[in-house]
Amino acid sequence: MNHLPPPAEELRLLDAELRQLDARRTQLLARRAWLVATLQQARQQPQQAWAQARTQPPPVAWSRPEAAAPSVQNVLLVLGGVLLTLAAAVFTLVSWGHMGITGRAVVLGAVTLAALAGPAILLKRGLRSTAESVAGLGLALTVLDAYALHEAALAGTDGTGYAAAAAAALAGIWSAYGLLPATAALRLPLPCGLTAAQFPLLLWVLSADAGPYVISAALLVTAGLDVVAALRLRAGSVRSTALVGAYSTGSLGILTAGWLSLAAGTPSAAARAGALLLLAAAIAVGAAWRGAGSLSGFGSGTASASASGSGTGSASGPGTGTGTGPGSGTGPGSASSTDAPWQGPGEKHALVLAVVSGLLAVGAFGGTARSWLPEMWTVPAYLVCGIVLSAALRAGRLPDAVRLGFAWASGAVQALAVLWAVPVVAVVVLGPAGWIGRVWSGAPSDARAAVTVEAPWPSDAAAAPVVLLAVAAVLALVSRAEQWRSRARIGALGLVWATAVTLPAVVGIPYVAGMAVLGVMTAAALYAGRATVSAARLTALLLSLTSSGSLALASLASQTATPVVLSMLTALFASASWRTSLASVTAPAALVNAAALASATGAAVDWPPARTALLVLAVPVAAALLAPRLSAQRATVPVEAVGAAAGLLAVGLAVTDPPLLALVLASCGVIAAGTALRPDRRPVGYAATALFVLAAWVRLAAWEVGTPEAYTLPISVPALLVGALRRRREPQASSWAAYGPGLAATLVPSLVAAWGDSHWTRPLLLGTAALLVTLLGARLRLQAPLVLGGSVLALVALHELAPYVVQVTGALPRWAPPALAGLLLLALGATYEQRIRDVRRVREVLGRMN
């Protein structure tokens, strides 16, 4: 609605704006002269100049208009057109005095003709915005004319059929009106005519009570006509309207046809729905083919036109924003959007349309084939259609975007088919886990019974291997392309493995044969792990671990099969561990299977869990011996981690038998001590010490020994020896770090026990030991033995003298203790300075000790 005003009006606006600019410039120059004079006087009379500046009135603020003149003009025109349209609608629908519908129709027709003729006159005078508003009013009045005609002369006709005819007539009238030489410059009629053209076919089939097939066909035909309009017409607004209509009606038609294809119960119904889908696919591929050679979007024509139309003028006069001034996109002599050739939907747009067309074609042929085949072959039928679609890639006459779109559509169909088969693979792989709660309950009848212990068998699972194998074959053919070779081979490897794993359960072969197939797949996956590509090697290893886990779980059903399978898996992974690239995965897997084999062996010979723990200890021993000899450095840590986990398993099995638990803990300590001999595993020595201590404590508890010294002395003696060795190597080491832990480990628990002991033996022995430690600390001038030994000795003496102190306290009068305390305080106060000196001397002596 932003157009040029008449030349006289524009000249008046320019003159007014220039006068305002001249006045503003004169005002600013006067103000500048005054400020210069004021600053010159301020150098001589600062105070006077400052006062004059404060009393000087502020400059008058220049008020600029907040809204541009064309914007105000457009708002007024739009509001006027809307109000007139509403008035005409009320006049037609309600009444106007005592005039009947016929009279109102005649008056309304006359007003409509005037409204439609007005834009031609306004355009000649250069009033384009006003002409657009009046044209919009006239188009709205034609709708009211159609209603008035129906009410006045055709009231007995079917409303839906008349609406279809009226929509077609309005579409033709509006389009013809927009193409007339006198009104061709108007932008509104052609998009309105195209909008009205969306409804005739749909309303016509609805009036004829047609079925859903005809309704879908009407929608698709309308969408096809919209696509033709978008491809043929040049005006940007018309193209945008056509594309919106094509996507809207096309989407509704496709959804209806897809629902009909899925719900079809007979081959004829499926064929009719397939024909509709093929029609939609033809429309989409035609649009994609037409626009595949361009890189710009469907709005490129408008963008280029607006860009080329930008000039040096302004919208509403000098100083305001762009709009209808000279050189703008809508001014005279500018490049209008209708002059720019349309360049097509672009490569990306064409790619999307090609993908949609490919999927629609697959849905059409697959839905038709589904109606002829049993239900279990529904997914394979769609998959075959998707694979056939990929043959279009070899058609050299297709544009690249269309070929790529067909390839993506084919890949999407194949991916959906693989997803459909995933539940079957999941049941086959994870189903044997149900035997954990039914260990050695009896071998199942076949491979399907072995995987459906707790999970139900999926319906139509017989087609899953066919789907997986077909997609694998397609990937193998795609691998001829260099850029997709590695990924396609990895995908094909996984799908072939899934096919081989699920096939025994689908066919229902015997239980032993099914386990043999899993064993062969495990070995084949390990052999494929010899690949040099890291992604392929990792995929093969993961597949081997998965199949071996499923095989091990399935073997739990039979007592005979369990040790055989675990032995085979242990040997298989151990033999594969000699390859450096596989050892980080296969060596830990071999140890895990070996631990499971040891547990199963103990259970098979009816050993209690505690005795079985001795067999499990062979795994940590093997891990400790194997870890330093592995050539792959990345395999060392996983192997040691599995060995530690096996040691914990052995401890858990032996926890119910304290003597055997002590033996297991001691054995784990020996293994840890042997590991600590390696230079890079010295910290493991702490774990070995802890295991030895725990083993000793468990052994003492098994002997029902309650003396705490029996638990603490085995710790204190080695700790003191280690402390003495450290002091010899590091003379500057503190005595607290060397001897403190060893002394505290025995003295503190014994002191706690002595305070609760009513006999004299423990306090005597503890006091003697504390005295010896104190004397030794004084002799060697070591702080830790002196302080710890002296503290324990004082506390033991206090414990022994406590009864006598209580007895003496009871014999004294009640005033005696306070009196003694007062005398003590007086004595301390009298010799306070001397005592402080003595305390400082003692502190200095202790400080000189190490």
Side-chain angles (χ1 to χ4, degrees):
M1 304 296 292
N2 232 0
H3 302 296
L4 279 174
E9 179 66 18
E10 184 178 4
L11 181 60
R12 186 186 64 81
L13 293 175
L14 290 176
D15 292 340
E17 189 70 20
L18 289 174
R19 284 194 297 271
Q20 292 176 356
L21 290 175
D22 291 338
R24 176 61 175 165
R25 186 173 185 275
T26 303
Q27 183 184 13
L28 293 176
L29 289 174
R31 178 64 177 173
R32 181 181 181 279
W34 179 86
L35 289 174
V36 171
T38 302
L39 291 175
Q40 290 177 354
Q41 295 177 2
R43 296 177 181 178
Q44 301 175 357
Q45 300 176 352
Q47 298 298 332
Q48 182 180 359
W50 174 252
Q52 291 179 358
R54 296 196 55 170
T55 57
Q56 181 71 20
V60 179
W62 180 258
S63 59
R64 299 184 61 184
E66 296 182 357
S71 300
V72 177
Q73 164 193 300
N74 294 336
V75 171
L76 294 177
L77 290 175
V78 171
L79 287 177
V82 171
L83 292 177
L84 289 175
T85 304
L86 292 177
V90 173
F91 167 75
T92 306
L93 299 176
V94 182
S95 65
W96 186 33
H98 300 285
M99 186 179 294
I101 186 65
T102 304
R104 279 180 281 161
V106 172
V107 173
L108 189 62
V111 174
T112 303
L113 291 177
L116 293 177
I121 301 174
L122 294 173
L123 287 174
K124 291 181 179 180
R125 296 179 176 271
L127 302 176
R128 293 191 58 180
S129 298
T130 307
E132 292 283 358
S133 299
V134 176
L137 174 62
L139 298 180
L141 291 176
T142 56
V143 179
L144 297 178
D145 288 336
Y147 171 77
L149 178 62
H150 179 267
E151 295 295 326
L154 303 174
T157 60
D158 178 56
T160 306
Y162 178 79
L170 289 175
I173 293 173
W174 291 349
S175 300
Y177 180 73
L179 295 175
L180 292 175
T183 56
L186 295 175
R187 295 183 175 182
L188 195 59
L190 289 179
C192 291
L194 191 58
T195 302
Q198 307 299 314
F199 302 100
L201 280 179
L202 179 61
L203 293 176
W204 178 69
V205 298
L206 290 177
S207 65
D209 294 330
Y213 292 94
V214 181
I215 293 175
S216 177
L219 291 171
L220 293 175
V221 170
T222 303
L225 295 176
D226 289 332
V227 170
V228 173
L231 294 172
R232 294 291 183 181
L233 300 178
R234 294 183 299 171
S237 58
V238 179
R239 288 199 307 272
S240 300
T241 305
L243 285 173
V244 171
Y247 280 118
S248 302
T249 56
S251 299
L252 292 176
I254 289 172
L255 291 176
T256 305
W259 175 77
L260 292 174
S261 178
L262 293 176
T266 60
S268 61
R272 284 182 290 169
L276 293 175
L277 291 176
L278 286 178
L279 175 60
I283 295 172
V285 75
W289 199 319
R290 174 66 176 79
S294 175
L295 295 177
S296 60
F298 63 83
S300 59
T302 304
S304 61
S306 61
S308 61
S310 61
T312 59
S314 60
S316 60
T320 59
T322 60
T324 61
S328 63
T330 59
S334 62
S336 175
S337 60
T338 59
D339 298 331
W342 186 56
Q343 298 181 3
E347 292 291 341
K348 294 182 179 179
H349 195 191
L351 176 62
V352 174
L353 291 175
V355 171
V356 173
S357 64
L359 293 177
L360 291 175
V362 171
F365 290 107
T368 305
R370 178 188 60 83
S371 62
W372 293 88
L373 299 173
E375 183 179 0
M376 63 177 295
W377 297 107
T378 299
V379 175
Y382 284 101
L383 177 61
V384 170
C385 296
I387 294 174
V388 172
L389 179 64
S390 63
L393 298 175
R394 301 183 180 276
R397 306 181 67 178
L398 291 176
D400 292 339
V402 176
R403 295 176 59 200
L404 185 59
F406 285 172
W408 279 106
S410 177
V413 173
Q414 297 176 50
L416 291 175
V418 172
L419 287 178
W420 172 82
V422 165
V424 181
V425 180
V427 170
V428 172
V429 173
L430 303 178
W435 292 108
I436 295 177
R438 306 180 183 183
V439 177
W440 296 349
S441 58
S445 58
D446 54 19
R448 182 180 299 180
V451 300
T452 55
V453 185
E454 301 290 344
W457 184 247
S459 59
D460 302 334
V466 177
V467 170
L468 296 173
L469 191 60
V471 178
V474 173
L475 289 177
L477 295 176
V478 172
S479 63
R480 296 179 181 179
E482 183 67 27
Q483 57 181 347
W484 295 98
R485 181 173 299 174
S486 59
R487 298 179 183 178
R489 287 180 177 179
I490 292 173
L493 174 64
L495 293 175
V496 169
W497 173 86
T499 303
V501 168
T502 56
L503 194 59
V506 172
V507 178
I509 63 176
Y511 168 68
V512 177
M515 289 196 301
V517 171
L518 288 175
V520 171
M521 292 307 302
T522 302
L526 284 177
Y527 181 79
R530 299 160 59 95
T532 56
V533 181
S534 58
R537 181 169 61 252
L538 179 60
T539 302
L541 290 176
L542 291 177
L543 295 179
S544 66
L545 293 177
T546 303
S547 55
S548 65
S550 180
L551 175 59
L553 292 173
S555 67
L556 296 178
S558 173
Q559 184 176 357
T560 304
T562 301
V564 174
V565 169
L566 293 176
S567 301
M568 184 270 295
L569 291 177
T570 302
L572 185 62
F573 282 105
S575 61
S577 300
W578 293 109
R579 292 188 61 87
T580 305
S581 59
L582 306 179
S584 59
V585 176
T586 56
L591 293 176
V592 170
N593 286 285
L597 176 61
S599 302
T601 303
V605 296
D606 293 331
W607 280 6
R611 294 185 63 185
T612 304
L614 299 177
L615 291 177
V616 177
L617 282 177
V619 176
V621 172
L625 296 176
L626 182 63
R629 291 170 174 79
L630 290 174
S631 56
Q633 295 296 330
R634 292 182 300 176
T636 302
V637 175
V639 166
E640 292 176 343
V642 173
L648 291 177
L649 175 62
V651 172
L653 292 174
V655 74
T656 56
D657 191 340
L660 282 177
L661 177 59
L663 178 59
V664 170
L665 289 172
S667 301
C668 292
V670 172
I671 298 171
T675 303
L677 295 177
R678 293 161 51 190
D680 57 338
R681 293 292 185 268
R682 297 298 188 194
V684 183
Y686 296 105
T689 303
L691 289 171
F692 283 131
V693 171
L694 288 176
W697 286 358
V698 171
R699 182 72 264 181
L700 291 174
W703 287 337
E704 298 181 356
V705 175
T707 304
E709 289 77 9
Y711 296 88
T712 58
L713 284 176
I715 301 176
S716 296
V717 173
L720 292 174
L721 293 176
V722 172
L725 292 175
R726 182 178 179 182
R727 287 277 297 178
R728 178 174 296 182
R729 294 180 180 179
E730 302 177 13
Q732 300 301 325
S734 173
S735 61
W736 287 102
Y739 303 115
L743 292 174
T746 296
L747 293 178
V748 174
S750 298
L751 179 62
V752 174
W755 273 77
D757 194 351
S758 59
H759 301 284
W760 59 271
T761 306
R762 178 176 280 111
L764 178 60
L765 295 177
L766 180 59
T768 303
L771 178 61
L772 293 176
V773 170
T774 304
L775 295 176
L776 187 60
R779 174 69 178 82
L780 299 177
R781 301 178 65 83
L782 297 176
Q783 193 178 84
L786 182 61
V787 174
L788 289 175
S791 301
V792 172
L793 180 60
L795 292 175
V796 171
L798 179 60
H799 174 266
E800 294 301 317
L801 296 176
Y804 301 102
V805 174
V806 173
Q807 183 178 1
V808 171
T809 303
L812 292 175
R814 294 187 177 181
W815 54 265
L820 293 175
L823 292 175
L824 178 61
L825 291 176
L826 288 175
L828 290 176
T831 59
Y832 182 74
E833 185 176 0
Q834 183 64 34
R835 299 287 79 78
I836 292 177
R837 188 181 298 110
D838 295 339
V839 170
R840 289 177 178 174
R841 187 180 297 110
V842 171
R843 186 177 62 184
E844 292 175 358
V845 171
L846 291 176
R848 288 193 296 269
M849 295 182 182
N850 195 349

